[in-house]
Amino acid sequence: MALVPMKVLLENAEKNNIAVGAFSVGNMEMVMGALAASEELNTPIILQIAEVRLKNSPLELMGPMMISAAKNARTDIAVHLDHGLKFETVQKALDMGFTSVMFDGSLLPLEENIQAVRRVRKAADLYGATVEAELGVVGGNEGEGKAHEVLCTSPDDAKLFCDETGIDALAVAIGNAHGNYPVLPQLRFDVLDDINKMVETPLVLHGGTGITDEMFRQAIMLGIRKINIATASFDSLALRASEYCKSREKANYFELSAAEAEGVYENVRKHIRIFNMQSDI
Ligand code: 13P
């Protein structure tokens, strides 16, 4: 199998009425855990890293590792820049061989967001890469400190935005938020339904951590084709690592590394099965 453009995985998801999981990674153990789940379930996934995470996990180190992992995987894998904030970062990821980039201009006025995404579209086309962009404001934050209020995507704006930019995937805001939800979110499936009826572009759900299986299924039935999971994998890794350390008087590095990968594997595996719309869970 291979490193593939994200668009291929979105088309496959559309054909099968499922969603492809986009799993954030921050170190080698996370990459290995996510790939182990993908290979075991014989299901393609997206490996992604967000621009705000590059302080902890530099692109120069993570990028080549993610791409090499994808090339050597037994399943199809797309490598994606999540929430690109600066054009330069998007360009760097494309130069490195990322097969997909997201530009997040969601805090910009609509017209400026359109112009910025058009520039990214042009750059990505030179590499045959996929482009995702966001409209409306997803709540919470991606680790930069300040939390954003949710602002639901307007279906009319979504149509205009997709037509004007030619993006391959649209991240929508329907009451979803990044990070752990303080209370179970009330996702606006009515808004999602309206967007789905107006827009042909595959839709993306950010803020997957803490959303129930049933809500995932409903979202997929209403056109969500990519679902982002970050916090749940970070938490699962930290939990397994801390359980391991507590179980030993003296921790062993290699066992600790395996515990980290195991934590991510468990979380990714669980989500892949939901996103594949498997009924035996
Ligand atoms: P969570 O951290 O809530 O899973 O969100 C992930 C995400 O949307 C990354 O863009």
Side-chain angles (χ1 to χ4, degrees):
M1 292 291 175
L3 171 66
V4 296
M6 190 170 87
K7 198 173 174 5
V8 172
L9 304 188
L10 296 173
E11 284 165 0
N12 176 54
E14 179 70 33
K15 203 169 70 205
N16 294 300
N17 289 315
I18 58 171
V20 55
F23 298 99
S24 298
V25 291
N27 67 10
M28 184 185 72
E29 285 75 8
M30 295 194 80
V31 172
M32 289 170 70
L35 280 194
S38 164
E39 290 182 340
E40 185 188 308
L41 298 177
N42 197 21
T43 300
I45 59 167
I46 299 157
L47 289 179
Q48 65 180 14
I49 187 159
E51 182 162 347
V52 291
R53 300 290 176 204
L54 300 179
K55 295 191 287 285
N56 295 80
S57 313
L59 192 60
E60 290 72 15
L61 302 181
M62 288 302 298
M65 179 167 61
M66 291 160 75
I67 290 164
S68 172
K71 284 183 177 163
N72 288 291
R74 292 199 301 274
T75 45
D76 283 342
I77 308 285
V79 175
H80 174 71
L81 176 72
D82 187 30
H83 292 281
L85 300 169
K86 293 194 293 289
F87 180 80
E88 293 66 35
T89 311
V90 169
Q91 185 62 56
K92 232 191 221 178
L94 290 169
D95 287 339
M96 256 178 205
F98 277 52
T99 57
S100 178
V101 287
M102 174 192 187
F103 181 78
D104 181 358
S106 59
L107 297 177
L108 298 172
L110 179 61
E111 190 50 39
E112 282 176 43
N113 194 358
I114 289 173
Q115 294 309 330
V117 173
R118 275 188 179 157
R119 185 173 178 217
V120 168
R121 169 83 278 170
K122 252 194 201 157
D125 281 346
L126 299 176
Y127 299 80
T130 307
V131 176
E132 175 183 336
E134 179 173 318
L135 199 62
V137 180
V138 171
N141 68 68
E142 267 289 290
E144 75 273 36
K146 188 164 65 61
H148 305 298
E149 290 292 320
V150 175
L151 179 64
C152 277
T153 307
S154 140
D156 289 326
D157 286 355
K159 165 117 185 70
L160 176 84
F161 188 66
C162 291
D163 289 348
E164 291 289 315
T165 56
I167 50 171
D168 304 297
L170 174 70
V172 295
I174 53 165
N176 45 322
H178 294 115
N180 285 306
Y181 293 96
V183 289
L184 191 64
Q186 298 295 320
L187 294 188
R188 292 287 306 273
F189 290 114
D190 54 330
V191 175
L192 179 59
D193 193 23
D194 288 345
I195 299 169
N196 190 34
K197 282 181 181 139
M198 293 192 70
V199 167
E200 300 268 309
T201 309
L203 304 176
V204 182
L205 184 68
H206 281 240
T209 297
I211 289 181
T212 64
D213 299 4
E214 198 36 54
M215 287 162 115
F216 279 134
R217 287 196 195 96
Q218 207 171 338
I220 293 167
M221 285 191 284
L222 292 172
I224 292 291
R225 295 290 167 247
K226 169 180 182 263
I227 302 178
N228 286 11
I229 301 288
T231 307
S233 284
F234 294 126
D235 287 353
S236 187
L237 177 153
L239 180 68
R240 284 282 166 267
S242 101
E243 281 172 353
Y244 167 72
C245 289
K246 281 183 198 148
S247 75
R248 299 282 184 287
E249 212 164 282
K250 185 171 180 299
N252 168 294
Y253 164 76
F254 300 101
E255 289 174 359
L256 176 60
S257 168
E260 288 188 26
E262 179 75 13
V264 175
Y265 156 81
E266 286 167 5
N267 181 57
V268 171
R269 186 175 187 279
K270 176 181 94 177
H271 283 97
I272 289 177
R273 287 164 66 82
I274 301 166
F275 302 162
N276 277 346
M277 300 291 264
Q278 285 178 252
S279 52
D280 60 323
I281 44 175

